[in-house]
Amino acid sequence: MLVLRAPGSEYEVEAVRKPRVWTWDTCAQTNGGLDPEERLNRALTIASAAPKARNFRAIVSFTGDVVTLSVEENGISVIRDRPLLTDAESKSTLDDLATVDLEPSEVGDLRQTWRNYKSSGYSAFNALFGPIGKALISNDPNESVEFRFDMERMQFQRRFALPLELIALVANDRPDGFLCNLRPMARSASNIKRRPANSDHRPHILFVDAGAAEGEFSILGKEGISLRSLPSIRNSTDAQRERLEDLRDDGLCTLEQLTLEDFNECCEARGLKKARSFRDALQSRLCRPVDGDKPVDILHFAGHGISQHQSETRLILPPAPARPGEGAGEVDLLEVRELAEWLPESVRVVFLAACQTASISSAEHLHLAKGCSLVGFRWKVVAKRIPEFVSGFYDAHLRERKSVAGAYRAGCQRAQLPEDPAWVSAVALAAD
């Protein structure tokens, strides 16, 4: 098909996406001495040739009340700022989806959970993209499409809860067909400092192992102070560490485990003062590195997390060692805001392998303020499933050298099980 493009006409998504469409500007100046007939013959030759691989990025930008779509092909803009959400009903639908609580119940019919996810995803798909949506998600083997959802800083509070990862083409109760599984995708803040994608530098991973944190802790909720208890998840954190050790052994990264015991052993060997608590050890390692410490490229936290109304997210650290004659104290709650303040400039990815860490608080303090890529989990997740997601993410990011968006999709695919919705809880914010 040859499309003759007159001045002032617009590329349609369908035309841009079809691999055998050749666009020809009827008013373009002749190039290199080619007359119109020769140019037409050349266009037909190219249009009839076998399609080449094409790499697209679809960028949905949330700017105030305006939402637009831009499409790049191999880094070159082909659609720019096409308006989305052009009617009041679509706007209302999307705003309503930001208030829906989709965290699965600990009891109940899992089929209903998938049905709720698919219904919300289908509504978000139609409200956001309308009739052009199906043209964006192609099954053509010669095409790759990556989705990025850019938000202005002021829009994170309003838009972060949108179930963008659950965007779906159809509404049913099957655990498949979600955007997070179909295509590389990530959220991102507009105008943040971009970090380099995978380079030749072998990254150093600081593995913060807080899996030993168990016991009780007090937290202020809507109805006052409540007491909560946590189980040990050492099996999960050990499994995550083993996956990263495999990557280290293959020469794809260097790995450093941080526990209070490991840190103090290192201090003793160096003749340095020991840390009194896990918090002190983590702060010292990040804020006061000593000779021999490698710059941290990726911080991986493995343990428990908790968020209060999306406004405050805390990572749960093991309690300080008990003194002789005293019982074990409460676990320590570290605010993500504090962790962000400690991060050195070298950190480009923060992976929070813990429940409820994909929050507005994490996004604002780690992604917006520090410019880090961030991976976390929106809801409570089954600890035994996180290692599969971790394995899929790092295999893609370090072995295959994929972007954060591509590695995020690989993690979703690796952890996908119909009987466990943990993988759709994951959220990625990309700075590469």
Side-chain angles (χ1 to χ4, degrees):
M1 180 191 299
L2 182 67
V3 176
L4 302 181
R5 176 172 175 257
S9 65
E10 294 291 333
Y11 284 101
E12 288 297 320
V13 174
E14 293 81 355
V16 171
R17 291 294 310 280
K18 287 187 171 65
R20 290 179 179 269
V21 169
W22 171 265
T23 58
W24 183 45
D25 193 331
T26 56
C27 293
Q29 298 295 319
T30 57
N31 239 342
L34 294 178
D35 62 29
E37 184 176 354
E38 289 176 294
R39 290 169 59 224
L40 178 59
N41 288 335
R42 177 170 293 188
L44 290 171
T45 299
I46 296 175
S48 60
K52 297 180 180 180
R54 309 176 80 197
N55 302 309
F56 292 96
R57 171 177 281 181
I59 304 168
V60 178
S61 299
F62 293 88
T63 307
D65 287 330
V66 177
V67 183
T68 59
L69 169 69
S70 299
V71 178
E72 298 174 353
E73 180 179 357
N74 298 324
I76 299 173
S77 176
V78 290
I79 295 176
R80 179 172 296 173
D81 298 333
R82 173 172 178 158
L84 301 177
L85 290 183
T86 54
D87 61 271
E89 183 178 355
S90 296
K91 291 180 180 179
S92 176
T93 297
L94 207 65
D95 287 341
D96 290 344
L97 286 170
T99 64
V100 176
D101 182 7
L102 293 172
E103 181 163 1
S105 171
E106 296 181 4
V107 296
D109 186 356
L110 190 56
R111 290 175 298 179
Q112 183 60 45
T113 296
W114 291 121
R115 195 173 296 122
N116 292 340
Y117 288 163
K118 273 296 185 67
S119 177
S120 295
Y122 183 67
S123 296
F125 174 83
N126 288 318
L128 193 57
F129 295 119
I132 67 171
K134 291 184 179 179
L136 287 169
I137 303 178
S138 168
N139 292 321
D140 191 319
N142 295 297
E143 294 182 5
S144 65
V145 184
E146 177 178 317
F147 284 80
R148 195 177 77 201
F149 297 90
D150 281 359
M151 301 181 187
E152 278 188 332
R153 288 175 176 266
M154 297 300 294
Q155 291 302 310
F156 266 83
Q157 290 283 343
R158 178 183 173 193
R159 304 286 191 179
F160 191 83
L162 285 173
L164 300 171
E165 293 75 16
L166 302 183
I167 283 176
L169 290 168
V170 296
N172 56 38
D173 57 359
R174 293 177 54 189
D176 59 5
F178 298 112
L179 184 60
C180 64
N181 183 51
L182 293 174
R183 293 289 179 269
M185 68 158 292
R187 298 159 181 252
S188 185
S190 304
N191 303 319
I192 65 167
K193 180 178 68 174
R194 296 291 170 190
R195 299 295 186 95
N198 278 323
S199 63
D200 294 332
H201 168 69
R202 185 169 58 166
H204 182 64
I205 302 177
L206 180 65
F207 182 77
V208 182
D209 187 353
E214 60 179 320
E216 295 184 334
F217 68 96
S218 302
I219 192 164
L220 181 63
K222 288 183 178 180
E223 301 178 357
I225 297 176
S226 61
L227 191 65
R228 302 193 185 185
S229 60
L230 295 170
S232 170
I233 52 172
R234 288 189 182 184
N235 289 341
S236 174
T237 56
D238 286 348
Q240 293 175 55
R241 187 193 67 248
E242 290 167 4
R243 309 296 173 90
L244 296 178
E245 287 173 344
D246 290 341
L247 295 167
R248 177 202 61 193
D249 294 343
D250 289 342
L252 298 171
C253 65
T254 53
L255 181 64
E256 174 187 351
Q257 176 174 275
L258 189 140
T259 65
L260 179 60
E261 294 75 18
D262 292 332
F263 183 83
N264 282 339
E265 283 182 14
C266 188
C267 288
E268 186 173 10
R270 295 174 172 181
L272 301 174
K273 182 180 179 180
K274 294 182 179 180
R276 294 174 297 174
S277 65
F278 197 113
R279 175 190 291 262
D280 292 339
L282 179 57
Q283 183 178 15
S284 295
R285 176 61 183 90
L286 294 175
C287 298
R288 297 182 291 277
V290 299
D291 291 344
D293 286 341
K294 293 180 180 291
V296 179
D297 299 287
I298 300 174
L299 186 145
H300 183 104
F301 176 87
H304 289 289
I306 185 170
S307 290
Q308 291 290 97
H309 318 304
Q310 295 289 310
S311 59
E312 294 180 359
T313 297
R314 297 179 175 92
L315 307 177
I316 299 175
L317 308 180
R323 296 177 180 178
E326 294 182 355
E330 286 192 356
V331 295
D332 191 6
L333 303 181
L334 172 65
E335 289 191 17
V336 165
R337 173 186 54 79
E338 294 179 81
L339 175 66
E341 291 171 354
W342 299 344
L343 287 184
E345 285 295 318
S346 59
V347 176
R348 62 176 181 81
V349 178
V350 176
F351 195 123
L352 301 178
C355 300
Q356 299 182 351
T357 50
S359 65
I360 294 172
S361 176
S362 295
E364 290 181 334
H365 295 304
L366 295 169
H367 184 62
L368 283 170
K370 288 292 186 174
C372 297
S373 292
L374 169 67
V375 180
F377 293 85
R378 188 193 299 273
W379 307 304
K380 295 177 182 178
V381 293
V382 179
K384 65 182 180 181
R385 295 303 306 159
I386 291 182
E388 293 302 316
F389 187 96
V390 166
S391 181
F393 178 88
Y394 284 109
D395 275 346
H397 194 51
L398 300 183
R399 290 188 193 277
E400 302 173 36
R401 310 191 66 77
K402 291 187 176 180
S403 66
V404 168
Y408 164 76
R409 178 202 178 199
C412 291
Q413 292 178 321
R414 183 75 64 87
Q416 185 177 358
L417 278 180
E419 62 271 22
D420 181 9
W423 59 280
V424 296
S425 172
V427 173
L429 292 95
D432 59 5

